[in-house]
Amino acid sequence: MKTLNLGILAHVDAGKTSLTERLLHTAGIIGELGSVDDGSTQTDTLALERARGITIKAAVVSFALGDVTVNLIDTPGHPDFIAEVERALGVLDGAVLVLSAVEGVQAQTRVLMRTLRRLGIPVLLFVNKLDRRGADPERVFREITEKLTPSSTTMATDRVIDLLATLDEDFLTEYLTAPDTFTPSRLRAELTAKVAEGRVHPVYFGSAITGAGIDALRDGIENLLPAKEADVHAPLSGTVFKVERAPGGEKIAYVRLFSGSVAVRDKVPLGDGEGKVTAISVFDNGAAVPSASAEAGRIAKLSGLDVRIGDVLGARPRTREARFSPPTLETVVSPVRPADRGPLHQVLTRLTEQDPLIGLRHDEVRQETSVSLYGEVQKEVIQATLADEYGIDVTFSETTTICVERVDGTGSAVELIGTASNPFLATVGLRVEPGSGISFRLEVELGSMPYSFVKAVEDTVKETLREGIHGWEVRDCAVTMTHSGYYARQSHAHGTFDKSMSSTAGDFRDLTPLVLMEALREAGTTVHEPLHRFTLQTPADTLGPVTALLARARAVPRTTLTKDGTAELEGEIPAAKTHEVHQLLPSATRGEGAMETSFHGYRPVRGPVPSRSRTDHNPLERKEYLLRVLRRV
């Protein structure tokens, strides 16, 4: 059986979900077309998706196309839900990128195409909405070749030949010397090979609403995108790309199986342990249907596994690694009813299981819970989900920017067991210095004390680095354990364990934050703010006001190019200022300016250093920390 895991991607409102409906209708999966406006589409099942007319969660539905089973994945187009798109890309065999024949290439279109090309995912482009007033397919095709990919082609034979000749000298030579050998089937084979390599991107035109151009697109999906016969006899390998909850609360994992097979009641390798599959559904003829097993190539829904998105079943597959931006915004979520404070934290914890790029911080002292976000629309999604599914009404604080800290130099600290200033039965010495990612190393012998104590120090180091000197997560830091010591297990004469004389893992967990923060204080840290790369297009005669606007936003233009009355600027801008520039740009450009931004990294904060309130027991203040920790003990 051949399968094709196909993604449908687009800038919001390009008609992506409508195209999904048309493909399902043409395949006979649905009897009549659903409407995004009416909230009756097959893949937008959340109440908020139907109300807003946007896709929020990736959805899977299958249909047959010739001898190929297509698992069609409808992904969000709004940039606030880019995490959903990221997870879908890891399981795709090919993609259809949808554009509007009216609006043309838009900001999110460029972000998606850059990522698809970098990952080498075969892509077909579909220019939708030809039935709309203002549709200009020729202009949009020019924009595609200029802004998305120069290796795009319509399906006219002469254009296909011209592009293939440009890309492959051997093809050109053979075509010039023996043109009669290039039958339509031979030409199709050459085109298919180049599409599979991600070197050619065919462009189709039509309307998902009227059905124009859909047959040609279906032909391209069936014959140009690489359907695969997966190895069902190889060891099991699969990736979890979506997690949802059954009505009873049980986790259901959406898994792309790259090799092998899995059956109900199988025990499958899962990280360092294993899990038992209690039920399986596979996508067939439009819906998920129960099955006794699932084979490679399929997307399956597995029950009974305690998993998170990104977990691997069996051997790690050789998949493409998408690198989308981390969330750079944060807001405090507060319940309207104080009695909901506890349930709110539990529900938010469950929701973050379904979206690992959305972080959660809980401040026990202030009884506040913060979530990290990509944009303001996510607030509405969280608010509606909490109200509709859990009966919890919430409000949000003003959104703030998430910074990070990086270590400036080298610092060290040590606390010795048995000294008057150290109330814990442990010796811990740590050295911190700049590194790549977070690493933990030993300068003490591994057998010098029980491994559980060493592991307690390592785990606590990584947890403590979530809040550095200024309260932000510490990145790119190497931590070395330089000193260790403990009191061996002591017992009374009658054999009972005496904790007051014996070290425990808790002693090391409680002492480590004090030592680590002292070492960080000596090394020093610098707060970095998130930075976006921007591309801004504006009429050339508005360049003065635009430049002034960017200067006020602390943006740094790197290049400025003026052509045919249009100026294009590229540079960097603090993430905290992008929303402000987007709001003010229309008035500075007579409504003709457009700016596209994407995450570009971090840079040191200029001016006052921002800090964030702590959610730990504040190991920076020794007296306060010891009071809180020892009272807890």
Side-chain angles (χ1 to χ4, degrees), residues 236-286:
L236 176 65
S237 177
T239 300
V240 178
F241 70 95
K242 179 178 178 179
V243 175
E244 63 183 18
R245 294 270 184 171
E250 181 184 25
K251 286 184 180 180
I252 300 175
Y254 284 65
V255 180
R256 163 71 194 271
L257 296 173
F258 291 93
S259 64
S261 62
V262 61
V264 175
R265 293 187 294 278
D266 276 358
K267 291 184 178 180
V268 298
L270 186 61
D272 296 331
E274 64 179 16
K276 184 177 181 180
V277 178
T278 58
I280 297 176
S281 294
V282 295
F283 290 92
D284 187 35
N285 200 31

Side-chain angles (χ1 to χ4, degrees), residues 321-383:
E321 183 179 352
R323 297 192 300 271
F324 280 102
S325 63
T328 57
L329 303 175
E330 186 175 60
T331 184
V332 174
V333 187
S334 302
V336 173
R337 297 180 295 271
D340 286 337
R341 197 172 299 278
L344 171 62
H345 180 65
Q346 295 173 356
V347 170
L348 287 174
T349 301
R350 173 176 291 189
L351 292 180
T352 56
E353 290 177 351
Q354 303 172 20
D355 200 336
L357 291 183
I358 304 302
L360 192 67
R361 298 173 69 246
H362 184 65
D363 186 339
E364 292 185 5
V365 177
R366 296 175 180 80
Q367 287 295 295
E368 290 181 347
T369 300
S370 303
V371 294
S372 54
L373 308 166
Y374 283 94
E376 295 294 323
V377 176
Q378 280 181 296
K379 284 185 178 180
E380 183 180 347
V381 173
I382 293 172
Q383 189 174 45

Side-chain angles (χ1 to χ4, degrees), residues 482-498:
T482 59
H483 296 76
S484 65
Y486 73 106
Y487 287 161
R489 182 182 181 91
Q490 302 291 324
S491 301
H492 294 291
H494 47 22
T496 58
F497 173 61
D498 187 353

